[in-house]
Amino acid sequence: MKPRDAQWWRRAIFYEIALISFQDSNGDGKGDLPGLLRRLDYLEWLGVDAVWLTPVYRSPMLDLGYDISDFVAIDPAFGTMTDFDRLVEELHARQLRLILDFVPNHTSDQHQWFHESRSSRCNPKSDWYIWEGPGENGGPPNNWLSRFGGTAWEWEETREQYYYHSFLVQQPDLNWRNPAVREAMFEVMRFWLRRGVDGFRVDASAVLIKDDLLRDNPPNPKANDKTPPPQRLEPVFTDDRRETMDCLEEMRQVIDEFDARVLCGEVQGKTDRIGHFYGAKKPRLHLPLNFALLDTQWETLSVQANVDAYYKAIPDWAWPDWVIGGHDKKRVADKIGQPQARVLAMLLLTLKGTPFFFAGDEIGMEPVSIPPERVLDPFEKLVGGYGLNRDPERSPMRWDESENGGFTTGEPWLPMGNILERNVEQQRRDPQSLLSLYRHLIELRRREPALAEGEFLASRSHSDVLIFRRRLNDVEILVGLNLVHEPRRWEWEGSGTLLLSTHLDRKEQPLKGPTLLRADEGLVVKLDR
Ligand code: GLC
Protein backbone atom coordinates (compact mmCIF):
# COMPACT_ATOMS: atom_id res chain seq x y z
CA MET A 1 0.00 0.00 0.00
CA LYS A 2 1.30 3.46 -0.87
CA PRO A 3 1.77 5.87 2.05
CA ARG A 4 -1.67 6.83 3.22
CA ASP A 5 -3.13 10.09 2.09
CA ALA A 6 -5.49 11.07 4.92
CA GLN A 7 -8.12 12.32 2.49
CA TRP A 8 -7.97 9.51 -0.06
CA TRP A 9 -11.76 9.19 0.14
CA ARG A 10 -12.24 12.54 -1.60
CA ARG A 11 -10.79 11.19 -4.82
CA ALA A 12 -11.98 7.61 -4.42
CA ILE A 13 -14.76 5.86 -6.29
CA PHE A 14 -16.72 3.56 -3.99
CA TYR A 15 -18.29 0.29 -5.04
CA GLU A 16 -20.88 -1.28 -2.75
CA ILE A 17 -20.88 -5.07 -2.64
CA ALA A 18 -23.63 -7.12 -1.02
CA LEU A 19 -21.39 -10.08 -0.26
CA ILE A 20 -24.20 -12.63 -0.44
CA SER A 21 -24.89 -11.61 -4.04
CA PHE A 22 -21.39 -11.19 -5.46
CA GLN A 23 -19.66 -14.56 -5.94
CA ASP A 24 -20.30 -17.94 -4.39
CA SER A 25 -17.33 -20.27 -3.94
CA ASN A 26 -18.84 -23.38 -2.33
CA GLY A 27 -22.06 -24.01 -4.22
CA ASP A 28 -24.43 -23.03 -1.40
CA GLY A 29 -25.97 -20.36 -3.61
CA LYS A 30 -24.70 -17.49 -1.46
CA GLY A 31 -21.77 -15.22 -2.13
CA ASP A 32 -18.86 -15.43 0.29
CA LEU A 33 -15.38 -14.06 1.04
CA PRO A 34 -13.43 -16.68 -0.95
CA GLY A 35 -15.75 -15.88 -3.87
CA LEU A 36 -15.07 -12.16 -3.58
CA LEU A 37 -11.34 -12.89 -3.40
CA ARG A 38 -11.64 -14.55 -6.80
CA ARG A 39 -13.13 -11.41 -8.29
CA LEU A 40 -10.55 -8.86 -7.23
CA ASP A 41 -9.14 -8.73 -10.77
CA TYR A 42 -12.50 -7.48 -11.90
CA LEU A 43 -12.50 -4.65 -9.36
CA GLU A 44 -9.05 -3.63 -10.46
CA TRP A 45 -10.01 -3.80 -14.11
CA LEU A 46 -13.14 -1.74 -13.48
CA GLY A 47 -11.02 0.89 -11.76
CA VAL A 48 -12.89 1.52 -8.51
CA ASP A 49 -10.83 2.57 -5.49
CA ALA A 50 -12.78 1.32 -2.51
CA VAL A 51 -15.24 -1.40 -1.61
CA TRP A 52 -18.05 -0.99 0.87
CA LEU A 53 -19.06 -4.43 2.04
CA THR A 54 -22.49 -5.13 3.56
CA PRO A 55 -22.35 -6.94 6.95
CA VAL A 56 -20.13 -10.01 7.11
CA TYR A 57 -20.64 -10.64 10.81
CA ARG A 58 -22.24 -13.63 12.50
CA SER A 59 -25.97 -13.33 11.98
CA PRO A 60 -29.21 -15.30 11.79
CA MET A 61 -29.59 -13.45 8.42
CA LEU A 62 -33.16 -12.32 8.86
CA ASP A 63 -32.27 -8.92 7.38
CA LEU A 64 -29.36 -9.40 4.95
CA GLY A 65 -26.99 -9.73 7.91
CA TYR A 66 -28.07 -6.43 9.51
CA ASP A 67 -29.24 -8.54 12.48
CA ILE A 68 -25.89 -9.26 14.09
CA SER A 69 -25.35 -11.82 16.84
CA ASP A 70 -21.59 -11.27 17.12
CA PHE A 71 -19.96 -8.06 15.94
CA VAL A 72 -16.45 -9.47 16.01
CA ALA A 73 -16.92 -12.77 14.19
CA ILE A 74 -17.36 -13.61 10.52
CA ASP A 75 -20.51 -15.54 9.71
CA PRO A 76 -19.53 -19.09 8.73
CA ALA A 77 -21.69 -18.82 5.59
CA PHE A 78 -19.33 -16.08 4.42
CA GLY A 79 -16.03 -17.72 5.39
CA THR A 80 -13.51 -17.30 8.17
CA MET A 81 -11.51 -14.56 9.82
CA THR A 82 -8.52 -15.84 7.86
CA ASP A 83 -10.44 -15.20 4.63
CA PHE A 84 -11.27 -11.75 5.89
CA ASP A 85 -7.67 -10.91 6.74
CA ARG A 86 -6.66 -12.13 3.30
CA LEU A 87 -9.25 -9.87 1.74
CA VAL A 88 -7.84 -6.82 3.51
CA GLU A 89 -4.33 -7.79 2.55
CA GLU A 90 -5.11 -8.49 -1.10
CA LEU A 91 -7.21 -5.37 -1.55
CA HIS A 92 -4.46 -3.25 -0.05
CA ALA A 93 -1.86 -4.92 -2.24
CA ARG A 94 -3.90 -3.67 -5.19
CA GLN A 95 -4.21 -0.18 -3.71
CA LEU A 96 -7.91 -0.77 -3.04
CA ARG A 97 -9.53 0.16 0.27
CA LEU A 98 -12.20 -1.60 2.26
CA ILE A 99 -14.94 -0.13 4.39
CA LEU A 100 -17.33 -2.24 6.42
CA ASP A 101 -20.93 -1.74 7.32
CA PHE A 102 -21.08 -0.84 11.00
CA VAL A 103 -24.50 -1.44 12.55
CA PRO A 104 -24.56 0.39 15.89
CA ASN A 105 -28.29 0.86 16.36
CA HIS A 106 -29.34 -2.71 17.05
CA THR A 107 -28.20 -6.28 17.52
CA SER A 108 -29.87 -9.56 16.71
CA ASP A 109 -32.02 -10.94 19.51
CA GLN A 110 -29.54 -13.83 19.41
CA HIS A 111 -26.68 -11.61 20.57
CA GLN A 112 -25.23 -12.60 23.94
CA TRP A 113 -25.82 -9.05 25.20
CA PHE A 114 -29.53 -9.36 24.54
CA HIS A 115 -29.76 -12.83 26.12
CA GLU A 116 -28.35 -11.28 29.25
CA SER A 117 -30.35 -8.10 29.09
CA ARG A 118 -33.68 -9.87 28.69
CA SER A 119 -33.01 -12.37 31.47
CA SER A 120 -33.96 -10.05 34.36
CA ARG A 121 -34.35 -6.43 35.37
CA CYS A 122 -31.18 -6.49 37.42
CA ASN A 123 -28.37 -8.04 35.46
CA PRO A 124 -25.23 -6.12 34.46
CA LYS A 125 -26.60 -5.57 30.95
CA SER A 126 -30.18 -4.84 32.00
CA ASP A 127 -30.09 -1.35 30.52
CA TRP A 128 -28.06 -2.13 27.40
CA TYR A 129 -31.34 -2.12 25.45
CA ILE A 130 -34.40 0.12 25.65
CA TRP A 131 -36.82 -1.33 28.19
CA GLU A 132 -40.12 0.25 29.28
CA GLY A 133 -43.21 -0.71 31.21
CA PRO A 134 -46.67 -0.73 29.55
CA GLY A 135 -48.38 2.52 28.58
CA GLU A 136 -51.48 3.89 30.33
CA ASN A 137 -53.83 1.54 28.50
CA GLY A 138 -51.70 -1.46 29.44
CA GLY A 139 -50.35 -1.79 25.90
CA PRO A 140 -47.08 -0.54 24.37
CA PRO A 141 -45.47 2.50 26.04
CA ASN A 142 -46.27 4.86 23.15
CA ASN A 143 -47.27 5.00 19.47
CA TRP A 144 -43.84 4.50 17.91
CA LEU A 145 -43.83 2.23 14.88
CA SER A 146 -41.29 -0.24 13.63
CA ARG A 147 -40.10 0.55 10.10
CA PHE A 148 -40.89 -3.05 9.32
CA GLY A 149 -44.52 -2.77 10.45
CA GLY A 150 -46.60 -2.63 13.62
CA THR A 151 -45.66 -1.28 17.00
CA ALA A 152 -41.95 -0.87 17.71
CA TRP A 153 -42.42 -2.41 21.18
CA GLU A 154 -42.26 -6.10 21.98
CA TRP A 155 -43.39 -7.59 25.28
CA GLU A 156 -40.84 -9.61 27.22
CA GLU A 157 -42.48 -11.93 29.71
CA THR A 158 -39.43 -12.46 31.93
CA ARG A 159 -38.93 -8.77 32.65
CA GLU A 160 -42.60 -7.84 32.30
CA GLN A 161 -41.47 -4.96 30.13
CA TYR A 162 -41.38 -4.01 26.51
CA TYR A 163 -38.22 -3.61 24.46
CA TYR A 164 -37.91 -1.21 21.57
CA HIS A 165 -37.00 -2.24 18.00
CA SER A 166 -36.75 0.28 15.15
CA PHE A 167 -36.69 -2.60 12.67
CA LEU A 168 -37.53 -6.29 13.19
CA VAL A 169 -38.74 -7.76 16.48
CA GLN A 170 -35.52 -9.80 16.21
CA GLN A 171 -33.45 -6.58 16.04
CA PRO A 172 -33.68 -4.96 19.50
CA ASP A 173 -32.26 -1.41 19.63
CA LEU A 174 -29.23 -0.83 21.80
CA ASN A 175 -29.50 1.88 24.44
CA TRP A 176 -27.03 4.47 23.20
CA ARG A 177 -27.69 6.64 26.26
CA ASN A 178 -25.74 4.06 28.23
CA PRO A 179 -21.98 4.88 28.23
CA ALA A 180 -21.11 1.19 28.59
CA VAL A 181 -22.93 0.42 25.34
CA ARG A 182 -21.10 3.21 23.56
CA GLU A 183 -17.75 2.01 24.81
CA ALA A 184 -18.50 -1.58 23.81
CA MET A 185 -19.45 -0.46 20.29
CA PHE A 186 -16.36 1.73 20.00
CA GLU A 187 -14.31 -1.32 20.87
CA VAL A 188 -16.03 -3.13 17.99
CA MET A 189 -14.89 -0.34 15.68
CA ARG A 190 -11.34 -0.55 17.00
CA PHE A 191 -11.32 -4.32 16.52
CA TRP A 192 -11.85 -3.92 12.77
CA LEU A 193 -9.74 -0.80 12.39
CA ARG A 194 -6.83 -2.68 13.94
CA ARG A 195 -7.40 -5.45 11.42
CA GLY A 196 -6.77 -2.85 8.74
CA VAL A 197 -10.19 -1.78 7.47
CA ASP A 198 -10.18 1.72 6.02
CA GLY A 199 -13.40 2.88 7.63
CA PHE A 200 -17.11 2.26 7.98
CA ARG A 201 -20.48 2.99 6.54
CA VAL A 202 -22.60 3.58 9.63
CA ASP A 203 -25.97 1.92 9.26
CA ALA A 204 -29.08 3.86 10.29
CA SER A 205 -26.88 6.57 11.78
CA ALA A 206 -29.76 9.00 12.29
CA VAL A 207 -31.78 6.91 14.73
CA LEU A 208 -29.37 6.00 17.52
CA ILE A 209 -31.05 8.05 20.24
CA LYS A 210 -34.79 8.29 20.82
CA ASP A 211 -36.70 10.91 22.78
CA ASP A 212 -36.18 10.33 26.51
CA LEU A 213 -39.74 11.45 27.31
CA LEU A 214 -41.05 8.88 24.80
CA ARG A 215 -43.30 11.52 23.26
CA ASP A 216 -45.69 10.12 20.66
CA ASN A 217 -44.94 10.71 17.00
CA PRO A 218 -47.43 12.95 15.15
CA PRO A 219 -49.40 11.89 12.06
CA ASN A 220 -47.57 12.38 8.77
CA PRO A 221 -49.50 15.12 6.95
CA LYS A 222 -48.42 13.74 3.56
CA ALA A 223 -49.69 10.22 4.25
CA ASN A 224 -52.59 8.67 2.39
CA ASP A 225 -53.91 5.14 1.73
CA LYS A 226 -50.93 4.39 -0.47
CA THR A 227 -48.41 5.29 2.23
CA PRO A 228 -46.96 2.18 3.88
CA PRO A 229 -48.42 2.09 7.40
CA PRO A 230 -45.02 2.48 9.17
CA GLN A 231 -44.60 5.81 7.38
CA ARG A 232 -47.96 7.23 8.40
CA LEU A 233 -46.44 8.83 11.48
CA GLU A 234 -43.68 11.41 11.26
CA PRO A 235 -40.63 10.05 13.09
CA VAL A 236 -40.03 13.33 14.94
CA PHE A 237 -39.20 11.73 18.29
CA THR A 238 -37.38 8.65 17.00
CA ASP A 239 -35.18 9.94 14.15
CA ASP A 240 -32.47 12.53 13.89
CA ARG A 241 -32.44 13.64 17.55
CA ARG A 242 -29.82 16.14 18.64
CA GLU A 243 -28.16 13.67 21.02
CA THR A 244 -27.56 11.28 18.13
CA MET A 245 -25.05 13.81 16.84
CA ASP A 246 -22.99 13.41 20.03
CA CYS A 247 -22.75 9.69 19.30
CA LEU A 248 -21.50 10.39 15.79
CA GLU A 249 -18.91 12.79 17.20
CA GLU A 250 -17.66 10.09 19.53
CA MET A 251 -17.50 7.55 16.70
CA ARG A 252 -15.48 10.04 14.72
CA GLN A 253 -13.03 10.36 17.59
CA VAL A 254 -12.50 6.62 17.45
CA ILE A 255 -11.90 6.82 13.69
CA ASP A 256 -9.41 9.64 14.27
CA GLU A 257 -7.38 7.47 16.64
CA PHE A 258 -6.25 5.72 13.45
CA ASP A 259 -4.55 7.08 10.34
CA ALA A 260 -6.43 7.87 7.16
CA ARG A 261 -9.76 6.17 7.85
CA VAL A 262 -13.18 7.31 6.72
CA LEU A 263 -16.59 7.46 8.34
CA CYS A 264 -19.57 7.39 5.97
CA GLY A 265 -23.14 7.12 7.17
CA GLU A 266 -26.66 6.38 6.11
CA VAL A 267 -28.86 9.43 6.75
CA GLN A 268 -32.18 8.56 5.09
CA GLY A 269 -33.48 11.09 2.56
CA LYS A 270 -32.92 14.44 4.25
CA THR A 271 -31.24 16.87 1.90
CA ASP A 272 -32.12 19.84 4.08
CA ARG A 273 -30.64 18.18 7.19
CA ILE A 274 -27.65 16.49 5.63
CA GLY A 275 -25.25 19.33 6.46
CA HIS A 276 -25.61 18.69 10.19
CA PHE A 277 -24.19 15.22 9.82
CA TYR A 278 -20.79 16.66 8.91
CA GLY A 279 -20.56 18.40 12.28
CA ALA A 280 -19.50 21.92 13.06
CA LYS A 281 -17.34 22.51 16.13
CA LYS A 282 -16.70 18.83 16.34
CA PRO A 283 -16.49 16.64 13.25
CA ARG A 284 -19.03 13.85 12.70
CA LEU A 285 -19.22 11.87 9.44
CA HIS A 286 -16.75 12.50 6.61
CA LEU A 287 -19.40 11.47 4.11
CA PRO A 288 -23.09 11.46 5.05
CA LEU A 289 -24.44 9.49 2.10
CA ASN A 290 -26.45 11.58 -0.30
CA PHE A 291 -29.30 9.97 -2.24
CA ALA A 292 -30.48 13.14 -4.01
CA LEU A 293 -29.91 11.63 -7.47
CA LEU A 294 -32.05 8.65 -6.59
CA ASP A 295 -34.84 10.69 -5.12
CA THR A 296 -35.12 13.21 -7.94
CA GLN A 297 -37.51 13.03 -10.83
CA TRP A 298 -35.38 12.28 -13.90
CA GLU A 299 -36.01 15.50 -15.74
CA THR A 300 -33.54 18.32 -16.34
CA LEU A 301 -35.03 21.04 -14.16
CA SER A 302 -35.61 18.69 -11.26
CA VAL A 303 -32.11 17.26 -11.43
CA GLN A 304 -30.64 20.76 -11.69
CA ALA A 305 -32.66 21.84 -8.63
CA ASN A 306 -31.80 18.74 -6.60
CA VAL A 307 -28.09 19.04 -7.30
CA ASP A 308 -28.23 22.68 -6.30
CA ALA A 309 -30.25 22.00 -3.13
CA TYR A 310 -27.71 19.43 -2.02
CA TYR A 311 -24.64 21.60 -2.60
CA LYS A 312 -26.40 24.41 -0.72
CA ALA A 313 -27.30 22.14 2.18
CA ILE A 314 -23.74 21.17 3.08
CA PRO A 315 -21.14 23.45 4.70
CA ASP A 316 -18.64 25.16 2.41
CA TRP A 317 -15.76 23.09 3.71
CA ALA A 318 -17.63 19.78 3.51
CA TRP A 319 -16.79 17.25 0.82
CA PRO A 320 -19.88 16.08 -1.14
CA ASP A 321 -20.79 12.57 -2.27
CA TRP A 322 -23.36 11.02 -4.60
CA VAL A 323 -24.98 7.59 -4.41
CA ILE A 324 -26.88 6.06 -7.34
CA GLY A 325 -27.62 2.56 -6.06
CA GLY A 326 -27.62 0.38 -3.01
CA HIS A 327 -28.98 -2.72 -1.36
CA ASP A 328 -32.08 -0.78 -0.19
CA LYS A 329 -32.71 1.13 -3.41
CA LYS A 330 -34.60 0.33 -6.57
CA ARG A 331 -32.26 -0.22 -9.52
CA VAL A 332 -31.95 3.09 -11.29
CA ALA A 333 -31.56 1.58 -14.78
CA ASP A 334 -35.13 0.42 -14.40
CA LYS A 335 -36.41 3.75 -13.15
CA ILE A 336 -34.87 5.89 -15.90
CA GLY A 337 -34.26 3.27 -18.62
CA GLN A 338 -31.03 1.89 -20.10
CA PRO A 339 -30.22 4.81 -22.43
CA GLN A 340 -30.49 7.32 -19.60
CA ALA A 341 -28.56 5.05 -17.22
CA ARG A 342 -25.57 5.99 -19.39
CA VAL A 343 -26.30 9.67 -18.90
CA LEU A 344 -26.60 9.14 -15.15
CA ALA A 345 -23.24 7.33 -15.12
CA MET A 346 -21.69 10.36 -16.78
CA LEU A 347 -23.36 12.69 -14.30
CA LEU A 348 -22.23 10.61 -11.30
CA LEU A 349 -18.64 10.49 -12.47
CA THR A 350 -18.34 14.15 -13.43
CA LEU A 351 -20.07 15.82 -10.48
CA LYS A 352 -18.07 17.21 -7.59
CA GLY A 353 -18.17 14.64 -4.81
CA THR A 354 -17.24 11.06 -4.07
CA PRO A 355 -19.25 8.68 -6.29
CA PHE A 356 -20.86 5.51 -4.90
CA PHE A 357 -22.51 2.82 -6.99
CA PHE A 358 -23.77 -0.67 -6.26
CA ALA A 359 -22.40 -3.86 -7.84
CA GLY A 360 -24.45 -4.48 -10.95
CA ASP A 361 -25.18 -0.81 -11.67
CA GLU A 362 -22.22 -0.83 -14.05
CA ILE A 363 -23.96 -3.39 -16.26
CA GLY A 364 -27.36 -1.74 -15.88
CA MET A 365 -28.87 -4.50 -13.78
CA GLU A 366 -32.62 -4.26 -13.56
CA PRO A 367 -34.84 -5.54 -10.75
CA VAL A 368 -35.43 -9.27 -11.01
CA SER A 369 -39.00 -10.39 -10.56
CA ILE A 370 -39.46 -12.46 -7.40
CA PRO A 371 -42.37 -14.92 -7.22
CA PRO A 372 -44.34 -14.46 -3.98
CA GLU A 373 -43.21 -17.79 -2.55
CA ARG A 374 -39.54 -16.75 -2.93
CA VAL A 375 -39.78 -13.38 -1.23
CA LEU A 376 -37.12 -13.11 1.47
CA ASP A 377 -37.01 -9.43 2.35
CA PRO A 378 -38.74 -8.95 5.72
CA PHE A 379 -39.80 -5.46 4.65
CA GLU A 380 -41.99 -6.97 1.93
CA LYS A 381 -43.12 -9.90 4.06
CA LEU A 382 -44.28 -7.65 6.88
CA VAL A 383 -45.44 -4.55 5.01
CA GLY A 384 -46.53 -6.15 1.74
CA GLY A 385 -48.49 -4.49 -1.04
CA TYR A 386 -46.63 -1.17 -1.16
CA GLY A 387 -43.84 -2.08 -3.57
CA LEU A 388 -41.22 -2.16 -0.81
CA ASN A 389 -39.55 -5.46 -1.69
CA ARG A 390 -35.77 -5.08 -1.79
CA ASP A 391 -35.08 -8.56 -3.16
CA PRO A 392 -35.32 -7.46 -6.83
CA GLU A 393 -32.22 -5.25 -6.56
CA ARG A 394 -30.37 -7.78 -4.43
CA SER A 395 -30.44 -10.48 -7.10
CA PRO A 396 -26.92 -11.95 -7.60
CA MET A 397 -24.28 -10.53 -9.91
CA ARG A 398 -24.31 -11.92 -13.45
CA TRP A 399 -20.77 -12.63 -14.53
CA ASP A 400 -21.20 -14.60 -17.74
CA GLU A 401 -23.56 -16.68 -19.82
CA SER A 402 -23.00 -19.98 -18.04
CA GLU A 403 -25.67 -21.44 -15.78
CA ASN A 404 -26.50 -19.05 -12.95
CA GLY A 405 -24.36 -16.43 -14.59
CA GLY A 406 -21.13 -17.79 -13.12
CA PHE A 407 -22.37 -16.70 -9.69
CA THR A 408 -22.87 -20.15 -8.22
CA THR A 409 -22.86 -23.83 -9.11
CA GLY A 410 -25.77 -24.34 -6.71
CA GLU A 411 -29.22 -22.81 -6.41
CA PRO A 412 -28.86 -19.01 -6.19
CA TRP A 413 -30.35 -17.59 -2.97
CA LEU A 414 -32.55 -15.28 -5.07
CA PRO A 415 -33.82 -15.74 -8.64
CA MET A 416 -31.41 -14.33 -11.21
CA GLY A 417 -33.71 -13.45 -14.10
CA ASN A 418 -32.46 -13.60 -17.66
CA ILE A 419 -28.68 -13.58 -17.40
CA LEU A 420 -28.31 -13.54 -21.19
CA GLU A 421 -29.82 -10.11 -21.26
CA ARG A 422 -27.08 -8.38 -19.30
CA ASN A 423 -23.87 -9.80 -17.86
CA VAL A 424 -20.28 -8.77 -17.27
CA GLU A 425 -18.61 -10.97 -19.92
CA GLN A 426 -20.95 -9.86 -22.66
CA GLN A 427 -20.44 -6.19 -21.82
CA ARG A 428 -16.70 -6.61 -21.53
CA ARG A 429 -16.63 -7.77 -25.13
CA ASP A 430 -18.74 -4.86 -26.32
CA PRO A 431 -16.67 -1.66 -26.57
CA GLN A 432 -19.84 0.46 -26.43
CA SER A 433 -21.56 -1.22 -23.51
CA LEU A 434 -22.54 0.52 -20.29
CA LEU A 435 -19.72 -1.34 -18.55
CA SER A 436 -17.24 0.06 -21.07
CA LEU A 437 -18.68 3.51 -20.45
CA TYR A 438 -18.14 3.13 -16.69
CA ARG A 439 -14.53 2.17 -17.30
CA HIS A 440 -13.95 5.14 -19.57
CA LEU A 441 -15.57 7.53 -17.13
CA ILE A 442 -13.59 6.17 -14.19
CA GLU A 443 -10.41 6.44 -16.18
CA LEU A 444 -11.29 9.98 -17.26
CA ARG A 445 -12.02 11.08 -13.69
CA ARG A 446 -8.63 9.75 -12.68
CA ARG A 447 -6.84 11.42 -15.61
CA GLU A 448 -8.47 14.84 -15.17
CA PRO A 449 -7.97 16.22 -11.65
CA ALA A 450 -10.53 18.93 -12.44
CA LEU A 451 -13.20 16.20 -12.43
CA ALA A 452 -12.03 14.57 -9.23
CA GLU A 453 -11.18 17.68 -7.26
CA GLY A 454 -12.24 20.80 -9.12
CA GLU A 455 -14.83 23.36 -8.16
CA PHE A 456 -18.40 22.84 -9.34
CA LEU A 457 -19.67 25.77 -11.37
CA ALA A 458 -23.37 25.84 -12.08
CA SER A 459 -24.62 26.78 -15.54
CA ARG A 460 -28.14 27.48 -16.64
CA SER A 461 -29.61 24.25 -18.03
CA HIS A 462 -31.98 24.59 -20.98
CA SER A 463 -34.00 22.54 -23.48
CA ASP A 464 -33.65 19.27 -21.55
CA VAL A 465 -29.87 19.66 -21.41
CA LEU A 466 -28.28 19.61 -17.97
CA ILE A 467 -25.13 21.72 -17.97
CA PHE A 468 -22.33 22.41 -15.51
CA ARG A 469 -18.60 23.02 -15.39
CA ARG A 470 -15.74 21.83 -13.25
CA ARG A 471 -12.64 23.91 -12.74
CA LEU A 472 -9.24 23.38 -11.24
CA ASN A 473 -6.56 26.06 -11.63
CA ASP A 474 -6.64 26.93 -15.32
CA VAL A 475 -8.40 23.77 -16.50
CA GLU A 476 -12.12 24.01 -17.15
CA ILE A 477 -14.32 21.09 -18.14
CA LEU A 478 -17.82 21.48 -19.46
CA VAL A 479 -20.48 18.78 -19.17
CA GLY A 480 -23.71 18.73 -21.19
CA LEU A 481 -26.24 15.93 -20.71
CA ASN A 482 -29.29 15.39 -22.85
CA LEU A 483 -31.94 13.94 -20.56
CA VAL A 484 -34.45 13.01 -23.27
CA HIS A 485 -34.75 10.45 -26.04
CA GLU A 486 -34.59 13.03 -28.83
CA PRO A 487 -31.78 15.19 -30.18
CA ARG A 488 -31.33 18.58 -28.49
CA ARG A 489 -29.34 21.67 -29.35
CA TRP A 490 -26.93 22.55 -26.59
CA GLU A 491 -26.09 26.24 -26.58
CA TRP A 492 -22.56 26.97 -25.47
CA GLU A 493 -19.92 29.33 -26.70
CA GLY A 494 -16.28 28.71 -27.34
CA SER A 495 -14.28 25.67 -28.29
CA GLY A 496 -12.59 22.74 -26.69
CA THR A 497 -11.71 19.08 -26.97
CA LEU A 498 -14.39 16.49 -26.72
CA LEU A 499 -13.13 14.04 -24.09
CA LEU A 500 -15.98 11.55 -24.03
CA SER A 501 -19.48 10.90 -25.35
CA THR A 502 -21.87 8.54 -23.57
CA HIS A 503 -22.25 6.87 -27.00
CA LEU A 504 -18.53 5.99 -26.96
CA ASP A 505 -18.22 6.56 -30.69
CA ARG A 506 -16.26 9.79 -30.62
CA LYS A 507 -13.63 11.28 -28.40
CA GLU A 508 -10.46 13.35 -28.38
CA GLN A 509 -11.65 15.61 -31.16
CA PRO A 510 -12.05 19.37 -31.42
CA LEU A 511 -15.51 20.71 -30.72
CA LYS A 512 -17.12 24.13 -31.04
CA GLY A 513 -20.31 25.29 -29.39
CA PRO A 514 -23.22 25.17 -29.93
CA THR A 515 -23.49 21.39 -30.31
CA LEU A 516 -26.22 19.05 -31.37
CA LEU A 517 -26.57 16.33 -28.75
CA ARG A 518 -28.02 13.10 -30.03
CA ALA A 519 -30.85 11.36 -28.17
CA ASP A 520 -29.65 10.34 -24.69
CA GLU A 521 -26.21 11.73 -25.29
CA GLY A 522 -23.91 13.35 -22.78
CA LEU A 523 -20.57 14.98 -23.57
CA VAL A 524 -17.55 15.98 -21.54
CA VAL A 525 -15.57 18.81 -23.12
CA LYS A 526 -12.26 20.29 -22.01
CA LEU A 527 -12.43 23.98 -22.85
CA ASP A 528 -9.66 25.74 -24.73
CA ARG A 529 -8.03 28.47 -22.69
C1 GLC B 1 -30.34 -0.08 7.17
C2 GLC B 1 -29.94 -1.07 6.11
C3 GLC B 1 -31.12 -1.92 5.77
C4 GLC B 1 -31.58 -2.64 7.00
C5 GLC B 1 -31.83 -1.66 8.14
C6 GLC B 1 -32.00 -2.37 9.43
O1 GLC B 1 -31.32 0.80 6.73
O2 GLC B 1 -29.41 -0.39 4.99
O3 GLC B 1 -30.82 -2.84 4.75
O4 GLC B 1 -32.76 -3.33 6.73
O5 GLC B 1 -30.74 -0.78 8.30
O6 GLC B 1 -30.80 -2.91 9.87
Side-chain angles (χ1 to χ4, degrees), residues 63 66 106 148 167 171 201 203 266 327-328 390 394:
D63 182 25
Y66 286 91
H106 45 273
F148 288 161
F167 298 93
Q171 288 169 307
R201 171 261 189 190
D203 182 66
E266 179 195 31
H327 65 281
D328 292 330
R390 298 171 296 177
R394 295 172 174 182

Side-chain angles (χ1 to χ4, degrees), residues 229-341:
Q231 293 158 27
R232 292 185 191 171
L233 296 182
E234 264 193 289
V236 174
F237 293 107
T238 43
D239 278 31
D240 198 6
R241 307 292 300 164
R242 191 189 49 74
E243 301 99 312
T244 295
M245 298 296 166
D246 303 339
C247 306
L248 297 179
E249 286 165 12
E250 290 177 26
M251 275 180 209
R252 175 61 180 272
Q253 284 171 18
V254 175
I255 283 283
D256 290 344
E257 291 167 15
F258 296 77
D259 275 352
R261 311 299 163 103
V262 69
L263 197 60
C264 313
E266 179 195 31
V267 289
Q268 295 103 343
K270 297 185 176 74
T271 296
D272 55 337
R273 284 280 304 155
I274 204 162
H276 299 269
F277 287 84
Y278 284 96
K281 286 199 193 91
K282 287 191 191 163
R284 295 168 188 160
L285 304 175
H286 293 102
L287 297 175
L289 297 182
N290 158 35
F291 297 117
L293 289 180
L294 279 172
D295 297 336
T296 179
Q297 224 178 303
W298 193 248
E299 174 275 320
T300 310
L301 301 184
S302 305
V303 178
Q304 170 175 256
N306 273 285
V307 168
D308 183 68
Y310 170 67
Y311 283 137
K312 263 197 335 229
I314 66 173
D316 288 343
W317 52 265
W319 187 253
D321 64 78
W322 299 95
V323 186
I324 61 147
H327 65 281
D328 292 330
K329 302 287 178 188
K330 303 248 178 285
R331 288 279 182 185
V332 79
D334 181 55
K335 181 177 151 199
I336 65 178
Q338 293 293 342
Q340 285 292 318

Side-chain angles (χ1 to χ4, degrees), residues 301-459:
L301 301 184
S302 305
V303 178
Q304 170 175 256
N306 273 285
V307 168
D308 183 68
Y310 170 67
Y311 283 137
K312 263 197 335 229
I314 66 173
D316 288 343
W317 52 265
W319 187 253
D321 64 78
W322 299 95
V323 186
I324 61 147
H327 65 281
D328 292 330
K329 302 287 178 188
K330 303 248 178 285
R331 288 279 182 185
V332 79
D334 181 55
K335 181 177 151 199
I336 65 178
Q338 293 293 342
Q340 285 292 318
R342 304 176 73 96
V343 176
L344 175 66
M346 183 169 273
L347 176 62
L348 174 73
L349 290 153
T350 54
L351 276 172
K352 177 182 177 183
T354 301
F356 283 75
F357 60 98
F358 182 39
D361 285 338
E362 73 276 28
I363 54 168
M365 269 182 64
E366 294 182 358
V368 169
S369 131
I370 312 287
E373 68 283 3
R374 289 204 63 184
V375 170
L376 292 174
D377 182 13
F379 207 6
E380 175 66 10
K381 286 194 193 161
L382 297 168
V383 197
Y386 296 89
L388 298 172
N389 192 3
R390 298 171 296 177
D391 293 335
E393 63 262 20
R394 295 172 174 182
S395 171
M397 191 68 176
R398 300 138 167 227
W399 295 101
D400 54 40
E401 280 153 30
S402 63
E403 208 187 342
N404 300 324
F407 165 69
T408 180
T409 53
E411 175 68 17
W413 76 285
L414 276 178
M416 293 191 59
N418 180 4
I419 49 160
L420 298 181
E421 213 167 67
R422 215 158 269 110
N423 62 62
V424 170
E425 261 328 295
Q426 178 195 65
Q427 295 202 17
R428 251 175 121 135
R429 287 193 301 266
D430 173 0
Q432 287 179 332
S433 65
L434 179 62
L435 180 58
S436 299
L437 177 63
Y438 264 90
R439 277 195 82 211
H440 281 286
L441 284 164
I442 291 172
E443 191 267 326
L444 183 62
R445 193 175 172 94
R446 180 149 305 129
R447 185 153 48 91
E448 291 291 347
L451 290 178
E453 295 162 58
E455 261 177 280
F456 173 88
L457 303 171
S459 290

